[in-house]
Amino acid sequence: MKRTAGTTVTDTSPDPETEEVPQTEEPRESEEPSESEESEESGGQEEPRGDGEDAGNGETEEATGTTGASPRRTPWLRVLAGVLTVALLATGATLFVMGQRLRDTPATSNHALTDTEATDRVTGEVGSALSKVFSYGPRSTAATKETAKRVLAGKALQQYAALYGQVEKQAADQKLTLTTQVVHAGVTRLGTGSAHLLVFLDQVYEREGKAATTAAAQLSVTAELRGGRWVVVEITSR
């Protein structure tokens, strides 16, 4: 206490040695929730720690190991895919060649097996031609010769002309008559412009004053389509 004139002043300043200065706590901006509060917020289930992190690391390592093995298998997959591709291409090429061979076989190119109309036409025209050129009488040899020039050609016409010269004289002198009828004609091969036929004939020889004689003949004939009609180009006796 200090005394002044007429007035007593009490000194209230604190003694630094005896009185403690109160400490003020700094305000916390945010308090971390307690474990109980965290468990309540998460629905009462606590997330595993420690073991979960280790397990997560294990899964990551295992996944990394699996991904690392994939590049080593990729070359084998590419090789296998390449082999399969080559095998498929080879199979396709083989099938294509076989298909071409099947389409190009003589059986498939023979229209006698598939085109009935064309087959009937060639047998009709060739049969009619043979019946005319191998039928004559004592007074019709000239007409038969002219007919042969229209329905025969090539080697067949040359052979016929060489033989018919003798027949023409005999027919006039001996009064011979020859009548030829086609019994059956079959097309063995028919193309777009040629045909091969097997023809069976019945021939009747008549001489004035004598009995008629019947004979059978079998011919192999080749014909060609010329000017829209079938012409015999080769005749072979069988």
Side-chain angles (χ1 to χ4, degrees):
M1 299 175 62
K2 295 181 180 181
R3 295 179 182 271
T4 58
T7 305
T8 303
V9 179
T10 303
D11 188 2
T12 60
S13 60
D15 189 357
E17 294 181 358
T18 59
E19 187 173 354
E20 295 180 355
V21 179
Q23 297 179 358
T24 59
E25 294 182 357
E26 296 179 1
R28 298 180 181 179
E29 295 179 358
S30 61
E31 294 183 0
E32 296 180 357
S34 61
E35 293 181 358
S36 61
E37 293 177 352
E38 290 179 354
S39 61
E40 291 178 357
E41 293 178 358
S42 60
Q45 297 181 357
E46 294 182 1
E47 295 181 356
R49 299 180 181 178
D51 295 339
E53 293 177 359
D54 294 340
N57 294 336
E59 292 177 359
T60 304
E61 292 176 0
E62 183 179 355
T64 304
T66 304
T67 306
S70 180
R72 290 194 294 270
R73 290 198 299 265
T74 300
W76 291 101
L77 294 176
R78 291 179 180 176
V79 171
L80 180 59
V83 172
L84 291 176
T85 301
V86 173
L88 290 175
L89 290 176
T91 304
T94 302
L95 293 176
F96 176 77
V97 172
M98 292 177 64
Q100 287 294 112
R101 290 179 178 177
L102 288 175
R103 286 192 293 270
D104 295 339
T105 55
T108 56
S109 60
N110 187 3
H111 300 296
L113 303 176
T114 57
D115 195 340
T116 304
E117 183 178 356
T119 302
D120 292 341
R121 178 186 174 188
V122 66
T123 53
E125 292 185 9
V126 170
S128 176
L130 295 177
S131 296
K132 291 177 180 180
V133 298
F134 290 118
S135 296
Y136 54 85
R139 300 175 182 177
S140 61
T141 54
T144 301
K145 184 185 295 185
E146 292 299 321
T147 301
K149 294 178 181 180
R150 294 195 306 269
V151 299
L152 302 180
K155 185 178 180 180
L157 181 58
Q158 296 174 2
Q159 293 174 341
Y160 184 85
L163 294 175
Y164 195 74
Q166 301 176 4
V167 171
E168 186 175 13
K169 184 177 180 180
Q170 292 178 358
D173 294 342
Q174 300 177 13
K175 298 182 180 180
L176 296 176
T177 302
L178 175 63
T179 304
T180 300
Q181 182 179 2
V182 175
V183 178
H184 179 72
V187 180
T188 58
R189 182 175 177 79
L190 176 60
T192 56
S194 64
H196 298 275
L197 300 89
L198 185 61
V199 183
F200 297 87
L201 307 174
D202 276 346
Q203 294 181 311
V204 179
Y205 291 90
E206 293 181 281
R207 181 179 296 179
E208 188 176 357
K210 293 185 178 181
T213 303
T214 303
Q218 183 178 346
L219 305 176
S220 293
V221 180
T222 301
E224 292 182 358
L225 190 60
R226 297 183 180 183
R229 60 187 181 88
W230 289 98
V231 177
V232 177
V233 297
E234 186 173 356
I235 301 174
T236 303
S237 178
R238 296 174 64 90

